[in-house]
């Protein structure tokens, strides 16, 4: 084919169109200079195929092929990675700044100061043990301390509540993003034609959504062209498989069953009492905590065993770990690290764990309710985020950090969701647990001393402030569900008993409660063969203690035996002691710790930061604040300051405070709290540093992607000038062709 | 170095730089306004914790300082009361001594002695007032019983004349006079003779004796009413009640009994031969009782300790019966001893002085009468060596306590009060009469063993008053020597108080010094160095200004400006 004016005209039109497309694209770039997620676009053009003519190959102009966007997938994947990490620490840092304020005592008086004030108030009472105004002031100071501790805990609890709401929000947002990404994939697949039709706007939008997702959870992207765009977590769990979105969910108090291949244990059993009932889980728990509890069967057997068989069959035993099996918790009752698998709840750590017997098949290891060695249960007593798997049960992806500070790589490792969960479980959770442990030890130390003391008045009766879950079980055992079970020890308890004139009725050492003590049956009769003079927390129950107090006898002046007390266990598991008409009493010596543990003759009530308060009876009667104690003559004298002195000296006592996952340390109470503040400060400082570091790196990557994808106005302006000129030239080409045409036509004249 | 620079990059970098500079600037501003280097824990986590601990330490030092001041108050008062220059116990005793010296001379007659007696009685009452000295409303010589009087005036008895010397003779300890009688006069009672039950030496049992008293107005001997006292407790000693002039009711023990109520000693007296109406020749014969003033200690003591055992098995309970436990030493705290293990001839035990809160391990050889050392002394379990089955037995030492202690440093305390009985003596109803601690059946105030009867201030002074009021020259003579011993006791106690005061003074200096050191330490941790901060602020200002300047310059540049 020959070439001619028509072909020049065509070429002009092509050039004109090309310039137009370029100007349009430049204009689009300029318009979107501030649009988040926009990638700079450019027109890809190529020289049109040349035609062979007599003059050889003659160019036919330009072909405008496609509009491309400047985008570096490698850089983007690095950026996504860093965004996740930086968001994890940024979200932690913003939370820590808030927590730090709660613990900040640099310029205001806080908890530490209140504690110091308490020691001062006890010292004042030691100076003036008989002064009522001093007692009133002490009560006020102690009340302030208790409310400061409660408020600190309440602020942290409030924050935890907000965190849980944020977690739900993040999960909802993430699920929404996953759907949107899948939807975008669908649209992109529809319009994408490689090399010809690029859905740049849709892809920008998708990349932006992925960035948003990466800020919430760690992601990695695999893009192998249309139809093969997958998003997954770093650990490989798929989040979007091209057009199919997966999802995350929140579960509260999940139990994972990890039974051995031959385990006879059935995760869910029918209730034998009600065969039509719904199935119920075979292992149950009550309570909540910040760590996962790994329950691992140590020796196989049936739940509860069979105590009636001859010889009795022992129950299966299990071990518990809160650090994923690295170390095992100690059973305070036995000193070992195993518990019997029982159908009654047992207090282990902060949980009450029980097994279900299901249908009872004694002696048989094959029946339901039997456990095999190595059977594992993971109890997650908190709100956790799970990855919903299409094929198996949901998988827990809440971050888990090992003792050495390493992340569990099978869990979430990035994004704000990981940051918030980590903050909740490993920082806030630790602070709350340590504050609880601090408050619990403070309460115990004060009560232990106070309960051995005596006030300006003797007691006519007392009701314990602490409840025992099962009054028939040994107080020191896990089954008693008793908050102070591990504080009790072998020992004795003596009361001094007074008549209505305040004269002691029994020669020293007073009424020995555990003289001729033992286990008592339901009628309150002692069981033969169990006699002893010493209380043993691994044997004796609250019921036994109540019976022993009721049965305590002294011989009066006329030689008649008198039982001065009526003691009982209230329906909610508290000990109630009433002195009979004409009697009153004071605690002489309690080496068993029972009085402090049951909350009789105590100063504080409550057993953690949130429940700490003053024993109600004190505010009604200041005389019951114990400044002195019963002396060797059986008297309580108003000038005796022994108990107040010892309580003031508690400021110097090194006490051992630990948590389930912190080794106990021996420090004074003030130092213990100070080290908690140091911990908060150090966490904040280190997270602040890491967050700044990671954010700087993320910013650097962002700038590098901006270098490629960002719009430079100067550049676009020069491009505009360039394309305007080329447009003019193309137009000129058409004019020229037109003129040529005119010239050609005019030849005929 | 960026290859392409976009407007977005420039903008975010400007904003970032400005924020960074401004926040550093603000940080310095906060430090300037609070004058503190650490304004939140993350500023310096280690210092933040140490600041709290140091503040707690400072508060503690403040408490010790306050305690030292308070203790000074108590001890200064005790010091001046006992050994001050004027009106102190010591100076009153000197006066009494010179009075006794005068009265002991033969040139003084009955009315002279009576006059001196009146003066001595005044001084006796002044001594009681001094023994009841109070600091901020609290009695300083009453042990823990700060709210009641340390001493109350009462009636005591001096025995003169003959008493059987075979150990059965009556002693002042066996006699109790009801303080409801006339406290302001001395009454003389004697054993009346003849008595059909008396033996050849004129000795007769208390139960069978008859008594008569001197009626000072009528100047004659009058028969006293005698009755038997009924006591429901068969193990308590028998006693009689003698009623005489001035409302004097005198209870006298007839015998001593063991735990089972079997009589071990029968108390005896000597009969006086009937003579003319005279009352000043008791030396002649018979047992004479002078009922004269004394004082009863109403505070409490820190003397005896009691121990008791709690055994895990009935067999151990027999082995560790309370009567087998003997304590030796001076204990200030309730102490629990727990036997952990008995093997290889060694007893493994722990003790606790805080009711079982913390235990300190120790060992002792396992032999007959094993002995356990604890702070303050030892406890011995009389009987055979222990067996493994005795493990888990607990023994408790439960001392009487009367000391009021104030803490004056982390591991030191000072006793601010005194047990009056140790200084002033008198009679003392052990354990407030609520119980019979001595186990001898006497449920009334008895003369203290310590200080010894001859050093017992109120008994000696009471004796002197009695002697003066009954014109007993020899009695005055005897009192002289005893008064010197009494003064020695008081001086010793005053020196003890002085020693405590000296300890306080040195501890005070120490506390003040430590306070300065801690304050210095606190300041170095939390206070800002102003010069340094101001320099920093100036630098930060320059930095911020230059960021603003350069940013505004660059931001104005655009190709558009040239088109």
């Amino acid at each position: 084919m020959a070439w001619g004016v028509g072909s020049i005209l065509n070429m002009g039109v092509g050039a004109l169109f090309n310039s137009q497309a370029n100007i349009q694209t430049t204009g689009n770039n300029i318009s979107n200079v501030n649009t988040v997620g926009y990638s700079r676009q450019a027109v890809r053009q190529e020289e049109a195929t040349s035609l062979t003519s007599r003059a050889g190959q003659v160019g036919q102009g330009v072909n405008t092929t496609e509009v491309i966007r400047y985008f570096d997938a490698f850089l983007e994947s690095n950026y996504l990675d860093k965004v996740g990490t930086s968001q994890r620490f940024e979200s932690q840092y913003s939370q820590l700044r808030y927590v730090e304020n709660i613990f900040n005592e640099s310029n205001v008086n806080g908890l530490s100061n209140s504690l110091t004030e308490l020691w001062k108030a006890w010292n004042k009472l030691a100076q003036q043990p008989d002064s009522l105004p001093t007692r009133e002031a002490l009560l006020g100071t102690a009340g302030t301390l208790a409310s400061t501790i409660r408020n600190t805990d309440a602020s942290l609890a409030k924050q935890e509540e907000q965190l849980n709401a944020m977690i739900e929000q993040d999960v909802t947002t993430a699920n929404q993003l996953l759907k949107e990404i899948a939807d975008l994939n669908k649209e992109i697949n529809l319009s994408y034609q490689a090399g010809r039709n690029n859905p740049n706007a849709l892809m920008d939008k998708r990349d932006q959504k992925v960035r948003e997702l990466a800020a919430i959870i760690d992601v990695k992207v695999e893009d192998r062209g249309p139809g093969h765009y997958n998003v997954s977590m770093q650990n490989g769990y798929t989040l979007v498989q091209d057009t199919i979105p997966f999802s995350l969910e929140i579960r509260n108090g999940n139990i994972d069953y990890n039974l051995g291949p031959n385990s006879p244990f059935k995760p869910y059993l029918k209730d034998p009492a009600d065969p039509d009932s719904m199935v119920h889980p075979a292992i149950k728990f009550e309570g909540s905590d910040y760590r996962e509890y790994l329950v691992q069967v140590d020796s196989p057997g049936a739940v509860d065993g069979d105590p009636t068989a001859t010889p009795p069959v022992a129950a299966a035993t299990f071990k518990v770990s809160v650090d994923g099996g690295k170390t095992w918790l100690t059973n305070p009752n036995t000193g070992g690290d195993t518990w019997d698998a029982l159908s009654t709840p047992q207090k282990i750590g902060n949980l009450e764990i029980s097994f279900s017997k299901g249908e009872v098949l004694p002696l048989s290891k094959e029946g339901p309710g039997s456990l095999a060695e190595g059977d594992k249960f993971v109890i997650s007593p908190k709100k956790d985020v799970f990855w919903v798997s299409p094929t198996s049960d949901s998988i827990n992806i809440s971050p888990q950090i090992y003792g050495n500070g390493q992340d569990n790589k099978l869990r979430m490792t990035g994004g704000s969701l990981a940051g918030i969960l980590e903050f909740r479980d490993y920082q806030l959770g630790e602070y709350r647990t340590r504050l609880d442990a601090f408050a619990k030890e403070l309460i115990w130390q004060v009560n232990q001393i106070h309960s051995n003391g005596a006030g300006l008045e003797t007691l006519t009766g007392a009701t314990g402030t602490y409840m025992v879950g099962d009054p028939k079980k040994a107080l020191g055992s896990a089954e008693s569900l008793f908050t102070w079970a591990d504080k009790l020890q072998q020992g004795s308890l003596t009361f001094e008993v007074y008549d209505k004139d305040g004269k002691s009725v029994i020669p020293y050492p007073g009424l020995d409660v555990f003289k001729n003590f033992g286990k008592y049956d339901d009628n309150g009769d002692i069981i033969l063969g169990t006699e002893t003079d010493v209380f043993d927390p691994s044997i004796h129950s609250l019921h036994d203690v109540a019976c022993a107090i009721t049965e305590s006898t002294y011989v009066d002046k006329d030689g008649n035996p008198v039982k001065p007390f009526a003691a009982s266990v209230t329906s909610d598991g508290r000990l109630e002691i009433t002195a009979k008409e004409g009697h009153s009493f004071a605690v002489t010596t309690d080496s068993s710790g029972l009085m402090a543990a049951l909350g009789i003759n105590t100063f504080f009530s409550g057993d953690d930061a949130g429940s700490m308060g003053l024993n109600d009876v004190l505010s009604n009667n200041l005389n019951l604040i114990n400044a002195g104690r019963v002396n060797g003559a059986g008297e309580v004298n108003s000038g005796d300051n022994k108990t107040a002195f010892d309580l003031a000296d508690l400021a110097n006592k090194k006490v051992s405070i630990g948590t389930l996952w912190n080794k106990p340390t021996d420090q004074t109470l003030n130092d213990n709290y100070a080290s908690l503040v140091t911990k908060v400060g150090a966490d904040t400082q280190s997270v602040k540093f890491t967050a700044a570091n990671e954010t700087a790196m993320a910013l650097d990557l962002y700038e590098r992607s901006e270098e490629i994808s960002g719009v430079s106005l100067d550049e676009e302006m020069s491009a505009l000038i360039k394309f305007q000129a080329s447009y003019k030239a193309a137009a000129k080409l058409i004019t020229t062709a037109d003129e040529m045409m005119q010239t050609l036509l005019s030849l005929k004249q | 170095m960026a290859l392409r620079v976009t407007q977005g990059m420039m903008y975010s970098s400007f904003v970032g730089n400005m924020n960074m500079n401004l926040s550093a600037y603000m940080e310095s501003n906060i430090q300037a306004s609070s004058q503190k280097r650490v304004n939140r824990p993350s500023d310096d986590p280690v210092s933040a914790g140490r600041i709290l601990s140091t503040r707690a330490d400072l508060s503690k030092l403040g408490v010790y300082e306050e305690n030292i001041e308070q203790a000074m108050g108590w001890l200064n008062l005790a010091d001046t009361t006992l050994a001050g220059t004027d009106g102190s116990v010591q100076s009153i005793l000197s006066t009494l001594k010179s009075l006794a010296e005068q009265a002991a001379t033969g040139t003084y007659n009955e009315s002279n002695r009576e006059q001196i007696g009146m003066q001595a009685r005044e001084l006796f009452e002044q001594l009681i007032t001094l023994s009841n000295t109070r600091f901020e409303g609290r009695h300083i010589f009453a042990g823990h019983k700060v709210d009641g009087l340390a001493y109350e005036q009462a009636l005591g008895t001096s025995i003169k004349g003959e008493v059987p010397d075979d150990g059965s003779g009556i002693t002042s300890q066996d006699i109790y006079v009801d303080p409801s009688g006339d406290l302001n006069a001395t009454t003389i009672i004697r054993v009346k003779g003849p008595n059909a039950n008396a033996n050849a030496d004129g000795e007769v049992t208390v139960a069978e004796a008859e008594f008569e008293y001197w009626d000072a107005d009528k100047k004659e001997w009058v028969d006293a009413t005698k009755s038997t006292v009924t006591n429901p407790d068969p193990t308590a000693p028998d006693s009689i009640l003698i009623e005489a002039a001035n409302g004097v009711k005198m209870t006298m023990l007839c015998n001593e009994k063991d735990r089972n109520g079997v009589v071990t000693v029968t108390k005896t007296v000597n009969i006086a031969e009937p003579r003319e109406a005279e009352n000043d020749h008791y030396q002649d014969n018979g047992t004479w009782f002078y009922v004269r003033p004394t004082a009863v200690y109403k505070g409490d003591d820190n003397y005896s300790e009691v121990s008791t055992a709690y055994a895990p098995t009935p067999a151990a309970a027999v082995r560790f019966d309370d009567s087998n436990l003997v304590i030796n030493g001076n204990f200030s705290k309730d102490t629990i001893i727990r036997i952990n293990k008995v093997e290889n001839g060694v007893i493994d035990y722990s003790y606790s002085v805080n009711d079982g809160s913390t235990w300190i391990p120790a060992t002792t050889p396992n032999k007959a009468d094993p002995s356990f050392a604890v702070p303050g002394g030892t406890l011995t379990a009389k009987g055979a060596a222990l067996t493994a089955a005795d493990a888990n037995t607990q023994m408790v030492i439960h001392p009487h306590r009367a000391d009021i202690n104030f803490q004056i440093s982390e591991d030191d305390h000072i006793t601010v009060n005194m047990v009056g009985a140790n200084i002033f003596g008198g009679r003392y109803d052990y354990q407030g009469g609520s119980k019979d601690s001595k186990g001898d059946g006497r449920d009334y105030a008895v003369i203290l063993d310590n200080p010894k009867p001859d050093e017992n201030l109120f008994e000696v002074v009471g004796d002197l008053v009695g002697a003066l009021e009954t014109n007993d020259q020899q009695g005055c003579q005897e009192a002289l020597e005893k008064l010197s011993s009494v003064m020695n006791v008081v001086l010793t106690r005053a020196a003890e108080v002085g020693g405590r005061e000296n300890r306080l003074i040195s501890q005070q200096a120490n506390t003040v010094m430590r306070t300065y050191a801690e304050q210095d330490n606190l300041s170095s941790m939390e206070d800002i160095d102003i010069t340094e901060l101001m320099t920093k602020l100036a630098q930060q200002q320059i930095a911020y200004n230059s960021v603003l300047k350069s940013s505004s310059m660059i931001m104005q540049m655009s190709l558009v400006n040239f088109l």
Side-chain angles (χ1 to χ4, degrees), chain B residues 344-361:
Chain B
N344 304 332
V346 174
I347 303 170
D348 209 344
Y349 68 98
S350 305
Y351 62 87
S352 170
V353 290
N354 50 19
D355 302 302
S357 181
T358 49
W359 293 91
I360 297 135

Side-chain angles (χ1 to χ4, degrees), chain A residues 100 104-106 116 123-124 127 130 489-490 508 532-533 629 637-639 641 652-653 671 707 713, chain B residues 4 7 39 42 53 55 59-60 64 66-67 138 144 147 300 306 311-312 356-357 394 398-399 401 405:
Chain A
E100 193 188 25
N104 191 2
E105 222 170 300
S106 300
T116 311
N123 184 70
K124 201 81 200 160
Q127 285 181 4
D130 51 349
Q489 51 185 355
Q490 281 203 355
Y508 181 81
T532 174
D533 280 356
R629 68 180 293 168
N637 292 317
S638 57
N641 67 355
N652 295 320
K653 185 177 176 187
D671 283 351
E707 265 177 49
L713 282 179
Chain B
R4 282 181 77 245
Q7 264 68 30
N39 287 292
S42 62
S53 295
R55 284 187 193 164
S59 148
K60 219 153 53 180
Y64 297 149
E66 192 191 318
N67 285 352
R138 298 181 179 84
H144 278 162
D147 53 345
D300 64 357
V306 200
S357 181
Q394 293 191 2
H398 197 49
R401 292 172 295 107
N405 293 325

Side-chain angles (χ1 to χ4, degrees), chain A residues 574-595:
Chain A
R574 296 184 294 164
L575 179 66
E576 191 173 21
I577 306 176
T578 318
K580 287 182 187 159
E581 180 74 42
H583 288 97
S584 65
F585 68 101
V587 176
T588 310
T589 307
D590 173 20
S591 63
S592 61
L594 271 170
M595 292 293 102

Side-chain angles (χ1 to χ4, degrees), chain B residues 71-89:
Chain B
M72 285 281 202
W74 283 77
L75 293 173
N76 271 333
L77 185 59
D79 199 357
T80 36
T81 307
L82 292 180
T85 46
D86 215 24
S88 69
V89 173

Side-chain angles (χ1 to χ4, degrees), chain A residues 401-424:
Chain A
I401 295 158
Y402 297 130
N404 59 8
Q406 297 283 321
D407 282 323
N408 178 349
K409 297 284 184 206
L410 292 174
R411 301 291 182 88
M412 244 186 273
T413 54
S416 60
L417 193 54
I420 292 169
L421 281 161
E422 182 190 349
F423 172 74
R424 185 194 67 184

Side-chain angles (χ1 to χ4, degrees), chain B residues 262-298:
Chain B
V262 177
V263 175
T264 52
V265 179
T266 302
K267 299 281 176 189
T268 57
V269 287
N270 276 46
I271 54 166
E273 295 302 328
R275 288 170 304 129
E276 296 306 307
E278 284 179 46
N279 64 8
D280 55 351
H281 291 91
Y282 62 83
Q283 289 89 345
D284 290 355
N285 53 38
T287 311
W288 296 54
F289 306 95
Y290 283 64
V291 179
R292 43 73 185 167
T294 188
V296 174
Y297 180 57
K298 292 291 180 184

